[in-house]
Amino acid sequence: MTDCASCVVRNRAICASLNPEELLLLGKMGRKQRVKAGQTLLWEGDDAPVVANVLEGVLKLVVATADGREQIVGIVFPSDFIGRPFGKESPYSVTAMTDAEVCIFNRNAFDEFAGSHPDLQQKLLRRTLDELDRARHWMMLLGRKSASEKVASFLLEMSERLSGQGCQVGGARNGFELPFGRQQIADILGLTIETTSRQLTRMRSDGLLDLPSRREIVITDRDAMEVMAG
């Protein structure tokens, strides 16, 4: 059982539309689970017996290519929802990039609960449409953009996704701390770590950003970064 009323992502998660009585019922079905970095929560193509809200940490959505390689098709952050309600098989693997915590629900029980709560169903539909938009953006990012455009687009998206989640540098909107390193950025963007590091160094030399540490990013010229992102 979880205490939904005191949940750290309560106001941003899909359950935000529920009243206190409904939250109490949902909380009785959920349980918190820690997920270590590198641990897989769901496997592509397997039966997906659970769905979950992300409470802490960052997880990646991965599909296998025909030759056995892995392709990251998305990243999920605190308050994001993972799993496939009203479905059986997972279309991707879900693996923790950092140590994480999720609020996990049995899928069948969650489906039954959602079926009797139209507001929650509507929220799930909006989340699905948002995920579709992000997937289309991701396809453009990986398939059509140059290395500099990929890195600039990625940093702009991270500045938006990480704002308000305790990841800012110096409290500034344009400053944030990435929860993963450059090798993982390279993996996400389909680049080598050398290319990724080279692009970051060039952006710093050109005055687009500052790099206080290996994971801290401060975008100093957002307009120029947006132009570079295309």
Side-chain angles (χ1 to χ4, degrees), residues 10 27 29 36 47 97 124 130 145 184 191 206:
R10 162 76 175 87
M29 298 188 302
K36 292 291 186 180
D47 182 56
M97 299 185 75
L124 286 169
D130 288 344
K145 292 194 172 187
Q184 289 170 308
L191 302 172
D206 291 343

Side-chain angles (χ1 to χ4, degrees), residues 95-200:
T95 301
M97 299 185 75
T98 68
D99 288 348
E101 184 176 36
V102 298
C103 183
I104 201 164
F105 303 92
N106 174 274
R107 180 177 54 79
N108 289 332
F110 184 87
D111 288 354
E112 183 177 351
F113 181 86
S116 60
H117 293 81
D119 288 345
L120 182 58
Q121 289 188 61
Q122 187 178 54
K123 193 102 175 179
L124 286 169
L125 176 59
R126 287 199 297 268
R127 283 290 174 113
T128 300
L129 294 175
D130 288 344
E131 287 178 5
L132 180 59
D133 288 341
R134 283 200 294 267
R136 288 169 174 163
H137 173 73
W138 200 270
M139 290 172 62
M140 175 66 73
L141 176 64
L142 294 179
R144 305 292 296 179
K145 292 194 172 187
S146 66
S148 59
E149 290 171 332
K150 286 182 179 182
V151 175
S153 297
F154 176 78
L155 293 179
L156 288 170
E157 182 174 356
M158 290 302 99
S159 72
E160 296 296 334
R161 296 300 305 275
L162 294 173
S163 64
Q165 295 185 12
C167 299
Q168 301 98 325
V169 173
R173 174 174 175 267
N174 288 330
F176 55 95
E177 183 173 359
L178 291 168
F180 35 71
R182 294 187 182 185
Q183 181 61 65
Q184 289 170 308
I185 296 173
D187 293 341
I188 291 167
L189 298 177
L191 302 172
T192 65
I193 187 172
E194 292 81 11
T195 297
T196 301
S197 296
R198 195 159 50 242
Q199 292 299 327
L200 290 171

